[in-house]
Amino acid sequence: MAREAPEDGEKLRLTVVEARRDDVGRGVARIDPETLRQIGASPGDVLEIEGRAKTVAKAMPTFKEQRGQQVIQLDGVGRTNAGVALGQKAAIRKVAYAIARRVVVAPLGAGALHEDEIEHTARRLDGLAVKTGDRVRIALFGGSHRDFNVVRTEPDGPVMIHPDTLLAVESARGGAASQAASESEDIVTYDDLGGMEREVAKIREMIELPLTHPEVFERLGMRPPKGVLLYGLPGCGKTLLARAVAHESDAAFIYVSGPEIIQKFYGESEAQLRKIFDDARRRAPCIIFFDEIDSLAPKRERVEGEVEKRVVAQLLALMDGLKSRGDVIVMAATNRPNSIDPALRRPGRFDREISIGIPNEHARREILEIYARGMPLGEDVDLADLSETTHGFTGADLNALCREGAMAALRRQLPELALGSGPIPYEALMAMEVRMADFREALTEVAPSGLREVAVEVPNVRWDDVGGLEPIKATLKEAIAWPLSQPLLFEQIGLQPPRGILLYGPPGNGKTLLVKALASQSNLNFISVKGPELLSKYVGESEQGVRELFARARHAAPCIIFLDEIDALAPKRGFDGRSPVTDRVVSQLLTELDGVEALRDVWVIAATNRLDMIDEALLRPGRLDFHLEVTRPDRAARAEILGVHLRKRPMDERVDLAALADLTEGMSAAEVRFVCDRAAMNAIRRVFPSSSAELVDIGALRIEQRDFDDAFAAQASAAGSTTAPQPVLF
């Protein structure tokens, strides 16, 4: 690759790219070591970076993957200070610097700092290279941050902040300066977006490129795109992405909430829209962002009011009318894209529709790193483990998780802080930390919003808690765990993983317990549906419930849908006297399982003890692929079940589990558990005091062989025959 020669032997122009996640807020610029040698600089020196403005940063070498590309890695604050955007050129040169004797900063936004916060700010600024006019960002507790403006330095020019540097905080000035500071208080850059590389790339080519380089589209003889629709579940980052694009493209940004347009007087709503677009033309290049656009532009054939219809017509005319919009791009966000008027969703209005989905494991790791950036994390905190166990969590959910983790740490350390009327000592504040146990406690408080209406609390059931059934356990692991852990193996061999599993067999043998263990051990989102609960007396509601169930599962993938007692939901069609509702539900279920819209990372597990009642179309391969019979346990399985239920109970040494396994011949797994429970109750009866004044001798509590003998005798007596024993009440 041809290199640009340094200008006048001092400056070199490099392309600005995003900084590494770990470098955000550190005030460093990463450059190829060979480029550093060309300008006579070494790691740790101070570089002047010049775009539309000038700033300084500490030089650091790039990693191997970025070398030889003539690029400079800057974070969002550094790009703002230098007045450059991603992909633009910036001139760099080595400059002399001094150790700062005194630095005066002013906080951007409202709120004064007390003395302890000033000391914390000084420690966080240590080692930072700054100059007058720079913006610096300090990460605060709980994932938030605060920005400061460098008012002046002593000596003047580029300086390095040192532990001995005196930091002075100046109050925000009034008037226009204060207003400007307040408006620019909370800038959002691409550094604040986690796991959205694909979406950011699409947005940049749709919005940034037409605003910064319109000549490219003129050369190609085409009109640049003018509208982008972002859709996805609430909390996935649609508004945050729009704010980041507005800042990074250096365009004016007008935020419009859908309902605020609607006015009570005739014609005022349309006038409000025209005013917004006129203001955007004056401030061009400009981005208009309509949040919750489904409330502003619903389908006209479904609304009763005339106001909504006129507002939709006015919006259509403004977006694609006779009058040109100029450098005005319209962005909109919604979580109900199918509720928007179809006329808006054609090319020329919203040219591109971008889906913002629930973040995957890699994206969740990046989001957690962003929100935990300013948190004092303990050594035991494992963000990778948290990202694995937070399936279905949106970005907003992960923000709430970090906040709740911080609150849990605060509650734990509250007695040590000795809260009083005075400020908390700085040493006590610095001693606070968030541990993994705090995040575990927060996980019990924060539920994934994508599954809030349908998710169930998965009990803590492990594979070890399921006695026997080893072949079925292995099949479930192969069908679900293998495709998730090694998807490339299945792609290489051209094998589509199974999407449906049917567990059938007599009641009480562990079908539901198997699914509980699978949901708990696989760390997947889990939706449990009892067969009849989807049925409704109103026409169409049952089918709509099935559609919404699978739509949520696709959003929350990887996900397991467990259909318990599926014979009640999907009986055989065409029988006389059968309700037509179930026929329509079966048809809807068939199309969801194996229709045009394929299931990806969504598994359906069904359970029944009436295999003969299920519609045959559900049982073919491609829908419920595997049919696993859960039979009554054999002797070895019964011995394992006895071991599971008795391992945490005080047992007499003379109890022979092998003999007990023989005595439970013909019993189901539930009946074996019941015998264990009845024997335990017999043991309690022996040590329970005869009067309330006596004390219970806990140490004497042991389950003996005679307790089991009494349990078997009582069950045989209740059965009254030589058939398989039946459970009896305590």
Side-chain angles (χ1 to χ4, degrees), residues 390-608:
T390 49
H391 290 292
F393 279 62
T394 64
D397 295 332
L398 294 173
N399 186 12
L401 178 68
C402 291
R403 184 175 63 248
E404 289 297 328
M407 292 303 298
L410 179 60
R411 286 192 295 269
R412 177 172 48 81
Q413 299 168 88
L414 203 57
E416 304 172 8
L417 296 179
L419 297 179
S421 57
I424 301 174
Y426 180 75
E427 292 76 13
L429 283 177
M430 290 298 101
M432 295 179 68
E433 66 176 12
V434 183
R435 299 173 183 168
M436 195 66 179
D438 301 320
F439 282 108
R440 296 294 183 199
E441 181 179 343
L443 280 171
T444 64
E445 301 289 335
V446 182
S449 57
L451 296 173
R452 191 159 290 153
E453 297 177 5
V454 293
V456 297
E457 182 179 351
V458 179
N460 188 20
V461 179
R462 305 180 64 83
W463 289 119
D464 298 339
D465 300 327
V466 183
L469 304 175
E470 296 302 327
I472 298 180
K473 291 181 193 175
T475 303
L476 289 174
K477 292 176 185 177
E478 291 174 6
I480 295 178
W482 288 10
L484 276 179
S485 60
Q486 298 293 336
L488 294 180
L489 283 178
F490 287 81
E491 292 179 8
Q492 180 68 25
I493 205 170
L495 177 63
Q496 177 70 25
R499 290 293 173 234
I501 298 171
L502 176 65
L503 303 176
Y504 69 96
N509 290 308
K511 298 185 292 294
T512 305
L513 191 67
L514 276 168
V515 180
K516 287 180 180 179
L518 176 65
S520 175
Q521 294 291 96
S522 58
N523 284 329
L524 299 179
N525 294 322
F526 185 68
I527 301 176
S528 177
V529 181
K530 287 78 175 176
E533 73 180 23
L534 284 178
L535 300 179
S536 172
K537 64 179 181 180
Y538 297 107
V539 176
E541 281 200 359
S542 302
E543 303 91 294
Q544 182 181 353
V546 174
R547 287 195 301 271
E548 292 178 352
L549 170 68
F550 279 84
R552 283 194 173 271
R554 288 187 184 93
H555 277 300
C559 180
I560 294 175
I561 301 176
F562 177 47
L563 301 175
D564 206 0
E565 305 297 341
I566 193 174
D567 52 281
L569 181 66
K572 289 185 177 180
R573 292 170 290 176
F575 278 82
D576 292 338
R578 186 78 68 184
S579 169
V581 175
T582 56
D583 289 357
R584 295 196 300 269
V585 170
V586 172
S587 300
Q588 184 68 49
L589 196 57
L590 294 176
T591 57
E592 293 291 347
L593 281 170
D594 188 28
V596 175
E597 189 175 0
L599 292 177
R600 183 176 179 83
D601 292 340
V602 175
W603 290 266
V604 177
I605 301 180
T608 183

Side-chain angles (χ1 to χ4, degrees), residues 316-374:
L316 294 175
L318 289 170
M319 291 188 68
D320 189 27
L322 294 176
K323 193 173 181 181
S324 174
R325 274 190 276 160
D327 290 336
V328 176
I329 292 178
V330 179
M331 294 183 67
T334 181
N335 55 357
R336 301 174 61 196
N338 294 327
S339 299
I340 301 173
D341 193 89
L344 279 172
R345 302 179 66 182
R346 71 155 178 82
R349 285 163 185 159
F350 287 121
D351 300 85
R352 182 77 64 90
E353 296 183 4
I354 299 177
S355 171
I356 311 293
I358 293 179
N360 57 21
E361 182 181 335
H362 172 71
R364 292 194 299 272
R365 172 69 182 273
E366 291 189 359
I367 295 170
L368 285 170
E369 289 175 352
I370 290 171
Y371 286 125
R373 194 180 288 157

Side-chain angles (χ1 to χ4, degrees), residues 12 24 69 130 189 211 224 293 297 327 342 352 359 363 392 551 648 671 700 718-719:
L12 190 69
V24 174
Q69 301 180 24
V130 297
T189 67
L211 291 180
I293 195 172
D327 290 336
R352 182 77 64 90
K648 294 183 180 179
E671 291 166 347

Side-chain angles (χ1 to χ4, degrees), residues 9 74 87-88 112 130 195 248 252 260 270 277 294 302 324 359 413 441 518 526 599 613 627 660 665 684 691:
L74 284 177
Q88 294 181 349
V130 297
E248 294 279 2
E260 73 183 22
E270 301 92 298
F277 275 82
D294 54 283
R302 293 189 179 180
S324 174
Q413 299 168 88
E441 181 179 343
L518 176 65
F526 185 68
L599 292 177
M613 296 288 294
H627 301 169
L660 290 179
E665 178 71 31
I684 292 176
S691 67

Side-chain angles (χ1 to χ4, degrees), residues 630-644:
V630 185
T631 59
R632 289 185 180 272
D634 57 14
R635 184 183 182 283
R638 293 197 303 274
E640 286 188 27
I641 295 171
L642 287 167
V644 167

Side-chain angles (χ1 to χ4, degrees), residues 33 35-43 45-47 59 94:
T35 305
L36 285 176
R37 283 192 288 271
Q38 287 186 37
I39 60 175
S42 302
D45 286 342
V46 174
L47 302 178
K94 176 184 174 182

